[in-house]
Amino acid sequence: MERTVGTGGGLAAAAAAAATATATTPTTPTGARPNSATPRSVEPGHIPSSSAEWQERGAAVAVREVSGEDGNVQIRIIRKGVKDFTFGRVLGEGSYSTVVAATDRQTLREYAIKVLDKRHIIKEKKVKYVNIEKNTLNRLGDHPGIVRLYYTFQDERSLYFVLDLAPNGELFSFVKKLGSLNEECTQYYCAQLLDAVEYMHTHGVIHRDLKPENVLLDSNMRVKVTDFGSAKLLPMPSADELAALAQKRDDDDHRPRRADALEIDESERANSFVGTAEYVSPELLTDKFASKPSDLWAFGCILYQCIAGRPPFKAANEFQTFQKITALNYVFPPGFPAAARDLVKRLLVLDPTKRIQIDDIKRHDFFKGIEFGPALWKRKAPRLQPFNFRQGVGHYVLK
Ligand code: ADE
């Protein structure tokens, strides 16, 4: 059992302090949930002046509880910093960060480390989003379909997020390479994605940038959702509320929803476009708000893309893509299987209050025979195969 009690140091200067000084990561390399996480005390205003001091003060500090043979629990303090990892190949690059494969020198366990450039983040006023990503990942540290955050630390130049490595990369690469995925593969990957989205939503997180590039695959070819830099954190439901929510879902599955059930916070209306053009929901474009159903719109786009090989709304530029989205202007390629077609139609609904909800998606014919929950993560991944549109068309015509 291990818990991280804080990331030392601090970008004590100005707003950056908020992003880094309290960066704590209450998850463990063994997968166990930690007891708690408390920021390590740092004198306010103090900025380390040498690399050695950064190594000392910028490290993550974890408390490991080890059970001895006599049954007594011993406490071990573990510090993790840049020097504790061997950095390898670059896995991905974003505007503010680079993700690099890395090995813990002591345990030889492999991770993906997201390295964020502090100066660039401060200059571009993205401190808030770095905090959101860290807080979101800390909240979601207990689901097999979501990348786990183990440690955060920093040095003079960078912040480091130590994450689960997903060695098989993006689902998107496989869809691109094969041209499409058959129904069995689409059902498998989309069921895992939906299970992860349900976990996020019940834990008060809206991803807001779901797309095939953010759906990674682990060593067993199982889904790991990543990149919570655009996420929205809703107030965390209590254990009682979570239980009541589950009960309520059973009770009112078929009742129409009111707009206020979308949990929209008026102060949170997005002033600028967030997300990726092809997967952005119509409500974000027209009313400038994203809610839980906005993630399900993106889910519908991903499901469509797995089978069709391209997203439903795609045009020469962003503006034309947005026009197609708000006009619900998309078509199914001939042979697109009937159950998947029906589910996509229920997901790609302009009014978010009329969009199909997670419980009904799970019960939909497309997911017939799928057991959601822990069993889903024990299933062996199917062999990757493209959708056979020729066979689909023949079958379709004969019907
Ligand atoms: N690219 C971005 N994040 C990654 C991760 N956690 N594992 C593998 N590749 C990645």
Side-chain angles (χ1 to χ4, degrees), residues 89-93 98-101 111-114 147-148 163-170 213-214 216-217 224-227:
R89 67 190 192 284
V90 171
L91 299 167
E93 272 179 290
T98 303
V99 182
V100 185
Y111 294 95
I113 301 191
K114 188 167 185 171
V147 289
R148 188 176 291 224
L163 301 160
D164 267 326
L165 175 71
N168 280 309
E170 297 170 9
E213 291 90 329
N214 287 338
L216 302 179
L217 299 169
K224 289 254 182 239
V225 178
T226 192
D227 197 353

Side-chain angles (χ1 to χ4, degrees), residues 1-3 28 30 32-35 63-67 74:
M1 173 84 66
E2 181 181 310
R3 60 196 160 104
T28 81
T30 53
R33 292 294 290 160
N35 305 335
V63 178
R64 180 175 288 175
E65 289 169 5
V66 189
S67 300
Q74 291 181 347

Side-chain angles (χ1 to χ4, degrees), residues 63-134:
V63 178
R64 180 175 288 175
E65 289 169 5
V66 189
S67 300
E69 278 172 16
D70 56 1
N72 287 336
V73 175
Q74 291 181 347
I75 304 286
R76 252 186 239 158
I77 306 281
I78 300 166
R79 302 176 68 82
K80 290 282 181 204
V82 185
K83 287 193 182 143
D84 295 305
F85 295 89
T86 310
F87 287 78
R89 67 190 192 284
V90 171
L91 299 167
E93 272 179 290
S95 327
Y96 307 96
S97 63
T98 303
V99 182
V100 185
T103 309
D104 182 323
R105 287 176 195 267
Q106 201 190 1
T107 63
L108 300 184
R109 184 174 166 160
E110 288 192 292
Y111 294 95
I113 301 191
K114 188 167 185 171
V115 186
L116 300 108
D117 181 53
K118 292 203 281 199
R119 266 185 40 195
H120 191 47
I121 288 163
I122 295 165
K123 194 163 142 249
E124 300 294 322
K125 298 190 168 56
K126 300 292 174 193
V127 172
K128 179 180 159 191
Y129 299 101
V130 175
N131 269 327
I132 289 176
E133 182 162 20
K134 183 200 74 187

Side-chain angles (χ1 to χ4, degrees), residues 268-289:
E268 280 291 337
R269 272 192 205 276
N271 287 318
S272 55
F273 162 65
V274 282
T276 303
E278 280 81 11
Y279 308 90
V280 74
S281 62
E283 60 272 19
L284 192 83
L285 296 171
T286 53
D287 300 327
K288 296 205 169 113
F289 74 84

Side-chain angles (χ1 to χ4, degrees), residues 11-83:
L11 243 189
T20 61
T22 60
T24 56
T25 309
T27 46
T28 81
T30 53
R33 292 294 290 160
N35 305 335
S36 69
T38 340
R40 181 165 156 253
S41 63
V42 177
E43 303 113 65
H46 176 81
I47 303 172
S49 56
S50 65
S51 295
E53 201 186 344
W54 271 112
Q55 176 66 18
E56 158 72 15
R57 307 191 79 101
V61 182
V63 178
R64 180 175 288 175
E65 289 169 5
V66 189
S67 300
E69 278 172 16
D70 56 1
N72 287 336
V73 175
Q74 291 181 347
I75 304 286
R76 252 186 239 158
I77 306 281
I78 300 166
R79 302 176 68 82
K80 290 282 181 204
V82 185
K83 287 193 182 143

Side-chain angles (χ1 to χ4, degrees), residues 225-259:
V225 178
T226 192
D227 197 353
F228 289 83
S230 308
K232 164 106 182 98
L233 265 174
L234 304 168
M236 179 64 186
S238 67
D240 285 352
E241 280 170 330
L242 278 175
L245 217 94
Q247 181 61 49
K248 186 172 167 295
R249 271 211 310 272
D250 288 343
D251 295 345
D252 71 5
D253 265 351
H254 302 288
R255 266 183 243 153
R257 283 175 300 154
R258 298 200 323 266

